[in-house]
Amino acid sequence: MAEYGCARMTVHKAITALASAGLVTRNKRAGTLVAKPPVVTAVLEIPDIAALIAARSEVYEFRLLSREIRPLRAEDGAEAALAPHGEVLALTGAHLAGGEPFGLESRIINLATAPEARDRDFTVEAPGSWLLHHAPWTDARHRITAVAAEATQARRLGVARGGACLQIERWTWRAGAGVTFVRQLFPGDRYDLVAEFSPPGAT
Amino acid sequence: MAEYGCARMTVHKAITALASAGLVTRNKRAGTLVAKPPVVTAVLEIPDIAALIAARSEVYEFRLLSREIRPLRAEDGAEAALAPHGEVLALTGAHLAGGEPFGLESRIINLATAPEARDRDFTVEAPGSWLLHHAPWTDARHRITAVAAEATQARRLGVARGGACLQIERWTWRAGAGVTFVRQLFPGDRYDLVAEFSPPGAT
DNA sequence: GCGCATATAATGTCTAGACATTAATCGCGA
DNA sequence: TCGCGATTAATGTCTAGACATTATATGCGC
C-alpha cells in the first residue's frame, strides 16, 4: 500500500490473482511468499467433438455401436471410480467427420445420477452432447495417454493396427456422485490438444 | 444486490469468479449471460520430469545427445514461432529413470532471450530444469498429440518402431520474446497427463 | 430512412474503513 | 524447560460510495 499508494483491497486483489496463478503462496500470520516450485500449469480446453468438427466445416455424425444396461462390474477397473454399485448404461460409438471415422468412444453413464439417460435414444445423438446439456457436472478428471490401436479399433478408425492414438479418459461427478466415464480414442494425426497459459495481468 | 442484500463489490467478485470459470460471459451494456457452450476446460499440470521421477522414487538422469549453436532456420517450422531470426542453441537429450529411457526431448533455446544458456553445460543437467530457474516465462503454449515412434526414437526409448508415444510440444515466451521450444516424446505406457477441474466455490 | 451525436445501462476498478479468521509468537506460571 | 493462554500480524471478506469505460440504444437533423 505504501509503495504503490493504493488501498489494501487493491493490493489484495492483485496478490489474490498472483496466488491463483500459483506464483505466490499465502499463509496467515506468516505472510505471502514467492511459490517455491513454479509448477507448470496450463488451461486445457477439451472441445465438444461436434463443435470441433463443425469448426472445420465438415459434417459431424455419431454412430452408435453398442448399447447395454447392466450393473457396474467390479472388474470395470477405472470405471469403478464412478459409483460403488448400481446400474449403468454402457455405450460404444463412433464420431464421424465428413463420413470418415474421427474417433471412438466407450462410455458408462451412471443411471442413479442421470436416470433420464435410460430412455434416451443415442443412435444418432452423441451421448456426450446430450449429457453436457442434461446432466451438468461439477468436477471432472481427465487422463491423457498415447495408446496403440487394437485390431477392432484400428479397423473402425481406418488406421493401421498398433497405430498411435490419443486416448482421453474423463470422469465427471456432480456433487460427489459419479455421472459418467468416457474413454475416447483419436488417431494421432487427426486430433491434438492445445493448452495455453498466460498469468493474470498479461495483456 | 437486492436479492442477496449485499454490496455491488461482493456481487461483482462472485460473478467475476463465474466468468473466469467460463460459466457466464460479461458484456458491457448488454449484461451478463450464462455462457452458451459450456466449454470443457481443465487445469493441466505439466510436471518437471526430474521431480516426477523422484516422486516415483527412481533415480533421475539426463543424457545429452547433441548440442549445436546455429541460426534459426526458416524450415524449422513449428520452432520458427520462437523468433523471426537469430542464433539458437539446439539440444537433444534423453531423460532416464532408474537407468532406463523415460523420454526424449529436442529443444531450441533462443540465445537472444536467454544468452546465459550459451556457456551452460547441459551434459548432465536437464535444460528444462535450468531454464525453469534462470529464464522464467510469462506465456506458454502446449500441443499434445500421439505419434508413432520413428526408428531412431524407438531405439533410444527401447520401444518397438511405430510404438505409440505421447508428444508434448511447448513454446514459451517472456514478454513477447520467444524463450524456448521443446518437443518431448514419451512412450505411451510410461507417461500420462492428468488434468482436474473443479469450478470455484467447490470445497 | 440514414448517419451521427448523445444518453444510458451495464461492467470495471478503486478507496477507506470495518470486522472476521487464523496461525505464529510471546509471556507467564508451574 | 515445558505448556498454555493471550497477543498479534498477517490474510479474508464485506460495505457504501465514487468514478471510469464501453457497447448499445435513443433521438435528432437531414
Side-chain angles (χ1 to χ4, degrees), chain A residues 4-11 13 28-30:
Chain A
Y4 292 97
C6 60
R8 202 170 83 91
M9 227 4 208
T10 310
V11 177
K13 254 177 75 176
K28 296 200 173 186
R29 173 78 209 212

Side-chain angles (χ1 to χ4, degrees), chain A residues 66-164:
Chain A
S66 76
R67 181 181 181 280
E68 183 194 5
I69 291 179
R70 59 169 172 80
L72 189 67
R73 294 188 293 256
E75 63 270 27
D76 277 338
E79 304 163 357
L82 205 62
H85 45 70
E87 268 188 336
V88 295
L89 175 61
L91 303 168
T92 61
H95 300 276
L96 309 184
E100 295 294 312
F102 181 78
L104 296 177
E105 80 169 55
S106 162
R107 185 183 290 271
I108 301 281
I109 300 173
N110 187 350
L111 289 174
T113 316
E116 319 81 24
R118 184 188 291 267
D119 307 314
R120 193 74 203 167
D121 176 30
F122 289 119
T123 48
V124 290
E125 184 185 29
S129 304
W130 183 83
L131 282 166
L132 203 58
H133 295 102
H134 295 84
W137 47 269
T138 56
D139 297 87
R141 180 171 178 270
H142 295 88
R143 183 166 167 264
I144 299 156
T145 48
V147 299
E150 291 168 12
T152 313
Q153 294 169 339
R155 184 164 40 76
R156 284 181 175 150
L157 286 172
V159 298
R161 186 175 167 180

Side-chain angles (χ1 to χ4, degrees), chain B residues 164-181:
Chain B
C165 292
L166 196 66
Q167 176 178 271
I168 301 174
E169 292 170 304
R170 175 163 58 238
W171 293 258
T172 57
W173 292 268
R174 181 165 72 243
V179 176
T180 186
F181 166 75

Side-chain angles (χ1 to χ4, degrees), chain B residues 19-50:
Chain B
S20 79
L23 298 175
V24 298
T25 55
R26 321 192 73 174
N27 303 290
K28 296 203 171 181
R29 173 78 209 215
T32 299
L33 300 169
V34 173
K36 257 298 165 46
V39 176
V40 180
T41 63
V43 175
L44 186 67
E45 287 198 3
I46 309 259
D48 181 44
I49 296 172

Side-chain angles (χ1 to χ4, degrees), chain B residues 4-11 13 28-30:
Chain B
Y4 292 96
C6 61
R8 202 172 83 95
M9 229 359 213
T10 310
V11 177
K13 254 176 75 174
K28 296 203 171 181
R29 173 78 209 215

